[in-house]
Amino acid sequence: KAIRGFYLATLGVDLIFVFILVRYVGQLTGSFFIAFYLLVAIHAFYFGLRVGLVTALLSILLYSTIHFDLGGFSLVHWPDFLLRIVFLFLIAFSLGLLTEREKQMRQNVEELNRELARKNSILEQTYRHLSIGKLIGDIAEGINGPCGIMATRSEALIQEAKERQLPQEFIKGLEVIHKCSHQVAQVIKSLLTFSKQKGFEMKLLDLNQLIEETLVLMERQLKERGIQVKTKLTPRLPLTMGDPYELKGVLINLITNAMEALPKGGTIGI
């Protein structure tokens, strides 16, 4: 509102100045009336078609007042008078249209720049995800081998310990190692699945298994935040068509949002 008021005040001062210049100095016989053209051109160029036409209309009213006060058509014949009036409208209309077109083109360029920045941001984020996924895949593959050896050897040792009738505490220790190695293997499997870089692929999948694999990935973060997950999954669900990689990403996002909504811990139900 302050800028608008300042502009209106400036326009009024300019019109009064040109009116005084033409009325008391030029008196229609000189070329001072060209100041009206300059005033209309400036406002049409900087503020657009509407402002230019309004300025042209006000200039015509002031010029007509001067014209009839100083004798009318005795000083300026009516064809010249009409020509000057028409020129005011032509200047306002042509420069106003040019300004509106330039404004529209500038808005289009700004929109294109925003769209380009958005796409660049998406590309950067995708590249980061690809890099992280590749790193996770390399680490998971490196851990997978020793983990498989641990699971196999612990199973063999458990069987041998039972045959030799070793103490139950020793056998339970081996069973803990065997169980933990399988848990690590399950995490590695989930990481390898999540880190695969491939296109969109629809296939039959088990939603319950997908949820369990996702929870294995998120288990550590959930424990660190003191959040428990209660699942109520319908058993023996029919297989569903979908992309497991994309669906797992959706589940991770949903669980992450739920975790952020529970800064002091709590329970998430699935």
Side-chain angles (χ1 to χ4, degrees):
K1 290 182 179 180
I3 295 176
R4 184 180 180 183
F6 176 77
Y7 164 72
L8 292 176
T10 303
L11 177 60
V13 171
D14 291 340
L15 287 171
I16 293 173
F17 174 76
V18 175
F19 174 81
I20 295 173
L21 187 67
V22 176
R23 173 67 178 79
Y24 296 102
V25 180
Q27 296 186 350
L28 298 179
T29 57
S31 58
F32 289 102
F33 69 92
I34 297 176
F36 281 116
Y37 296 159
L38 180 61
L39 185 63
V40 171
I42 290 174
H43 286 81
F45 181 78
Y46 282 103
F47 301 104
L49 180 61
R50 184 181 300 177
V51 175
L53 291 175
V54 171
T55 306
L57 181 60
L58 293 175
S59 299
I60 289 170
L61 292 175
L62 292 175
Y63 183 74
S64 299
T65 301
I66 297 171
H67 181 269
F68 290 109
D69 285 346
L70 296 179
F73 297 113
S74 60
L75 295 176
V76 178
H77 298 295
W78 68 267
D80 293 334
F81 174 76
L82 291 179
L83 191 61
R84 293 177 181 181
I85 298 300
V86 171
F87 275 159
L88 284 171
F89 274 115
L90 286 176
I91 292 172
F93 189 74
S94 59
L95 289 179
L97 285 180
L98 182 63
T99 300
E100 294 295 331
R101 183 179 179 184
E102 189 271 338
K103 181 180 178 181
Q104 183 63 38
M105 292 177 64
R106 186 170 62 251
Q107 290 177 349
N108 292 337
V109 170
E110 291 175 354
E111 182 65 26
L112 288 174
N113 288 334
R114 286 193 294 268
E115 183 67 17
L116 181 61
R118 186 183 68 84
K119 290 183 177 180
N120 286 336
S121 176
I122 293 174
L123 287 175
E124 291 176 0
Q125 186 176 7
T126 303
Y127 179 76
R128 286 197 300 269
H129 288 169
L130 291 174
S131 300
I132 294 172
K134 186 177 183 302
L135 178 61
I136 290 174
D138 294 340
I139 295 174
E141 289 177 357
I143 299 174
N144 193 38
C147 183
I149 295 174
M150 289 176 57
T152 304
R153 292 294 298 168
S154 61
E155 186 177 1
L157 288 172
I158 290 171
Q159 186 65 29
E160 184 178 352
K162 289 181 179 180
E163 291 176 356
R164 294 186 178 184
Q165 297 182 352
L166 296 179
Q168 287 296 320
E169 292 183 359
F170 181 75
I171 296 175
K172 288 182 180 180
L174 291 176
E175 289 176 347
V176 170
I177 294 174
H178 181 69
K179 181 179 178 181
C180 291
S181 63
H182 275 287
Q183 289 179 348
V184 174
Q186 183 65 29
V187 173
I188 297 301
K189 180 182 176 182
S190 300
L191 287 174
L192 287 172
T193 302
F194 185 73
S195 64
K196 287 181 180 178
Q197 308 303 325
K198 58 182 181 178
F200 190 77
E201 180 183 356
M202 296 289 289
K203 64 180 182 180
L204 291 173
L205 52 87
D206 186 346
L207 287 178
N208 289 343
Q209 181 181 354
L210 189 73
I211 292 172
E212 290 173 356
E213 291 178 355
T214 305
L215 290 176
V216 170
L217 282 175
M218 306 291 293
E219 183 177 2
R220 181 175 179 180
Q221 298 180 40
L222 291 167
K223 287 183 177 180
E224 289 177 351
R225 292 173 177 259
I227 297 175
Q228 296 181 350
V229 177
K230 292 185 178 180
T231 58
K232 189 177 181 181
L233 306 178
T234 303
R236 296 183 297 277
L237 282 176
L239 298 180
T240 305
M241 289 294 295
D243 187 312
Y245 178 78
E246 297 293 338
L247 288 175
K248 191 170 291 186
V250 172
L251 287 172
I252 289 174
N253 287 333
L254 290 174
I255 295 173
T256 302
N257 292 337
M259 291 168 56
E260 292 177 353
L262 298 171
K264 297 182 180 180
T267 303
I268 298 175
I270 299 179

